[in-house]
């Protein structure tokens, strides 16, 4: 009798679970159908970027988006223009399916990228909100990947969570792409996508993407749909009239010159930067024989991969022999840098960059960069990027040669 009762309970539990899964699937199909009916959408969007473990966003951007479904575009299947939320005549970004346009307001240039400068397996075009949500749901309904989904009723909205447990992180540039693994350990390869869906129209209004190194959240408001079609969209209508139009490749090449490597053999530029306590720190304050200056970036996977080695390196020499200084180039928020240092348990100094020091060291804001400086404060070696053992050996050998 007990066995029959147990089997009945198990069968009932399986039935309830199956019914819940079917109901979830049917609702997601409904949302997908609604998303597929969107030919155009205009809305305001707030984009926030976070580091895992942070309580404060690293950056917050407000934009006004005009998004169009574009079946002719084989990249993401959409075209869109991003405008300044406070001045909707001011272009931030534009993609029409053939080119992307990037304004440089400080010098009144408009760079046009036709994607031939650096050919990649796919175009790295960030999808607009509804296109992104559509492809996330379509993937959840059709993929053979290892996934776990959850749909929860939260009153005025439904909450949908997609956890992708693959050996590569999954990003959506139109369809889902399994991203090639970099030459360093990125930690967990689990990808998490979350959507908040408004019950009033069964359309998402908020989405969250979480990777091991980065979290982003987008929230849209003031939505208007299907007022236009792709045939009403002309990218050049948004180009600033008094800007010089240049090829992205030409601008990129100009920006890449001179390079940081040209500083080898020259005196390291001096600086006074703030530490995580907002106190000034000068290069001249350091008296060790060798200094390693690491230009890093919160959110940079390679930079984070280098941290275990750098912490070990700091403990491998005396303070008279060697000093390690990190300069945070991406965040510029003291609170975020402080949280990052605490979370990563850094045993070395991390300072907040300025535009001037980035210009002096000619990194262009890229990270990571490693500058090895001798006792006379001459730059003896410059290394860009990080690839585990190879970079580790290169840095250690350079330091030992100078001691």
């Amino acid at each position: 009798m007990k066995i029959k009762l147990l089997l009945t309970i198990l069968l009932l539990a399986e039935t309830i679970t199956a019914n819940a899964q079917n109901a979830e699937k049917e609702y997601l199909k409904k949302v997908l159908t609604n998303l597929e009916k969107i030919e155009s959408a205009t809305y305001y969007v707030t984009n926030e970027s976070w580091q895992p473990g942070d309580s404060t966003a690293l950056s917050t951007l407000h934009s006004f988006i005009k998004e169009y479904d574009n079946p002719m575009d084989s990249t993401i299947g959409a075209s869109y223009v991003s405008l300044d939320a406070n001045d909707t005549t001011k272009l931030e970004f534009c993609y029409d399916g053939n080119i992307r346009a990037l304004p440089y307001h400080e010098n009144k240039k408009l760079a046009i990228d036709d994607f031939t400068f650096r050919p990649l397996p796919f175009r790295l075009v960030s999808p607009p909100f509804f296109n992104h949500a559509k492809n996330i749901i379509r993937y959840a309904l059709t993929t053979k990947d290892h996934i776990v989904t959850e749909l929860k009723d939260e009153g005025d909205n439904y909450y949908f969570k997609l956890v992708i447990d693959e050996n590569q992180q999954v990003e959506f540039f139109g369809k889902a792409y399994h991203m090639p693994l970099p030459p360093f350990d990125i930690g967990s390869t689990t990808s998490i996508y979350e959507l908040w869906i408004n019950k009033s129209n069964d359309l998402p209004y908020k989405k969250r993407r979480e990777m091991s190194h980065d979290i982003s959240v987008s929230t849209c408001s003031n939505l208007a749909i299907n007022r236009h079609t792709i045939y009403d969209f002309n990218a050049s209508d948004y180009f600033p009239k008094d800007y010089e139009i240049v090829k992205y490749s030409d601008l990129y090449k100009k920006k890449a010159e001179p390079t940081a490597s040209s500083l080898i053999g020259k005196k390291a530029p001096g600086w006074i930067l703030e530490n995580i306590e907002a106190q000034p720190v000068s290069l001249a304050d350091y008296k060790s024989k060798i200094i390693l200056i690491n230009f890093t970036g919160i959110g940079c996977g390679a930079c984070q991969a280098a941290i275990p080695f750098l912490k070990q390196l700091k403990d491998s020499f005396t303070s008279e022999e060697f000093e390690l200084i990190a300069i945070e180039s991406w965040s510029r928020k003291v609170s975020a840098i402080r949280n990052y240092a605490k979370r990563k348990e850094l045993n070395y100094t991390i300072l907040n960059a300025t535009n001037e020091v980035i210009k002096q060291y000619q990194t262009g804001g890229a990270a990571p960069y490693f500058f090895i400086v001798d006792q006379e404060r001459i730059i003896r070696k410059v290394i860009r990027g990080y690839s585990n053992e190879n970079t580790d050996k290169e840095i250690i050998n350079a330091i030992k040669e100078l001691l």
Side-chain angles (χ1 to χ4, degrees):
M1 186 71 179
K2 289 182 179 179
I3 294 175
K4 286 184 177 180
L5 179 61
L6 180 60
L7 290 173
T8 301
I9 292 171
L10 290 173
L11 182 61
L12 181 61
E14 288 179 1
T15 302
I16 292 172
T17 300
N19 288 340
Q21 289 175 340
N22 288 335
E24 174 186 306
K25 193 170 184 179
E26 289 307 309
Y27 182 70
L28 290 178
K29 285 181 179 178
K30 179 180 180 180
V31 175
L32 178 60
T33 298
N34 289 344
L35 287 165
E36 288 174 337
K37 290 178 180 177
I38 296 178
E39 292 188 26
S40 70
T42 60
Y43 50 90
Y44 288 89
V45 65
T46 298
N47 293 309
E48 298 173 288
S49 175
W50 303 72
Q51 275 292 289
D54 269 358
S55 57
T56 306
L58 289 175
S59 65
T60 302
L61 300 174
H62 304 284
S63 302
F64 178 66
I65 307 295
K66 294 183 178 183
E67 174 182 345
Y68 298 84
D69 183 53
N70 185 359
M72 300 300 292
D73 173 41
S74 60
T75 300
I76 60 175
S79 296
Y80 71 103
V81 58
S82 175
L83 305 164
D84 188 319
N86 296 315
D87 179 1
T88 57
T89 65
K90 187 176 181 181
L91 177 68
E92 291 179 339
F93 179 85
C94 185
Y95 175 72
D96 70 358
N98 296 307
I99 58 96
R100 60 174 184 156
L102 303 95
Y104 292 82
H105 298 299
E106 66 278 5
N107 55 9
K108 289 197 170 185
K109 291 183 184 293
L110 183 70
I112 304 297
D113 182 13
D114 63 0
F115 303 99
T116 59
F117 175 51
R118 289 189 300 173
L120 295 169
F122 52 90
R123 293 177 181 174
L124 295 173
V125 177
S126 297
F129 186 92
F130 291 100
N131 174 272
H132 198 197
K134 176 171 63 178
N135 285 295
I136 290 169
I137 293 177
R138 182 181 290 138
Y139 166 88
L141 289 169
T142 60
T143 186
K144 301 298 183 184
D145 288 346
H146 298 92
I147 67 169
V148 176
T149 62
E150 174 188 358
L151 185 67
K152 187 192 307 182
D153 190 332
E154 294 187 335
D156 292 336
N157 65 272
Y158 283 105
Y159 164 77
F160 172 67
K161 184 176 184 180
L162 166 67
V163 179
I164 307 170
D165 187 17
E166 291 286 297
N167 59 6
Q168 293 174 300
Q169 291 180 332
V170 175
E171 298 274 17
F172 292 88
F173 302 100
K175 67 179 182 179
Y177 285 89
H178 292 71
M179 304 303 290
L181 290 172
F184 51 80
D185 183 12
I186 62 172
S188 172
T189 56
T190 300
S191 308
I192 301 173
Y193 292 90
E194 297 163 281
L195 296 173
W196 285 260
I197 304 167
N198 196 325
K199 285 184 178 179
S200 66
N201 59 8
D202 293 316
L203 288 172
Y205 65 90
K206 180 179 178 180
K207 62 182 176 69
R208 183 178 183 272
R209 161 195 165 278
E210 179 178 345
M211 303 295 182
S212 60
H213 63 286
D214 177 66
I215 298 170
S216 58
V217 178
S218 299
T219 307
C220 72
S221 60
N222 296 89
L223 173 66
I225 62 174
N226 294 341
R227 303 283 178 84
H228 305 281
T229 71
I230 186 62
Y231 303 106
D232 301 315
F233 178 63
N234 186 354
S236 62
D237 291 344
Y238 301 95
F239 293 176
K241 305 305 180 188
D242 57 342
Y243 279 34
E244 178 188 359
I245 296 179
V246 298
K247 289 184 179 180
Y248 177 72
S249 56
D250 292 342
L251 190 63
Y252 187 93
K253 289 171 185 175
K254 288 178 183 177
K255 288 182 73 177
E257 299 174 350
T259 65
S261 296
S262 66
L263 295 175
I264 295 174
K266 298 178 181 179
K267 192 89 168 179
W271 38 256
I272 299 176
L273 303 171
E274 288 189 349
N275 64 15
I276 58 176
E277 304 303 328
Q279 298 170 333
V281 176
S282 168
L283 178 59
D285 294 339
Y286 294 90
K287 307 301 179 186
S288 58
K289 290 182 180 178
I290 309 298
I291 297 177
L292 174 61
I293 303 174
N294 167 218
F295 281 79
T296 187
I298 294 179
C300 162
C303 300
Q304 295 186 44
I307 288 175
F309 163 71
L310 294 176
K311 289 164 66 173
Q312 184 179 16
L313 185 68
K314 176 71 166 66
D315 290 335
S316 299
F317 300 94
T318 66
S319 57
E320 289 78 18
E321 293 175 322
F322 173 77
E323 193 56 76
L324 169 58
I325 306 159
I327 298 178
E328 168 55 42
S329 304
W330 289 10
S331 172
R332 309 294 180 88
K333 282 189 177 182
V334 173
S335 59
I337 301 171
R338 187 187 302 118
N339 291 338
Y340 183 75
K342 182 178 180 180
R343 189 169 65 254
K344 297 296 183 180
E345 299 180 337
L346 300 187
N347 60 350
Y348 52 88
T349 300
I350 183 167
L351 306 173
N352 198 354
T354 61
N355 291 337
E356 182 63 22
V357 76
I358 288 173
K359 183 178 179 180
Q360 288 175 325
Y361 281 79
Q362 299 172 11
T363 67
Y369 262 103
F370 303 92
F371 294 81
I372 299 173
V373 180
D374 69 11
Q375 193 165 9
E376 304 302 319
R377 300 304 177 247
I378 303 298
I379 296 173
R380 293 303 180 188
K381 192 172 188 66
V382 177
I383 300 169
R384 180 176 183 178
Y386 182 76
S387 60
N388 283 354
E389 293 182 5
N390 291 336
T391 307
D392 298 354
K393 289 177 181 177
E394 195 174 358
I395 290 174
I396 290 172
N397 290 340
I399 291 171
K400 288 182 175 179
E401 285 178 10
L402 294 172
L403 286 175

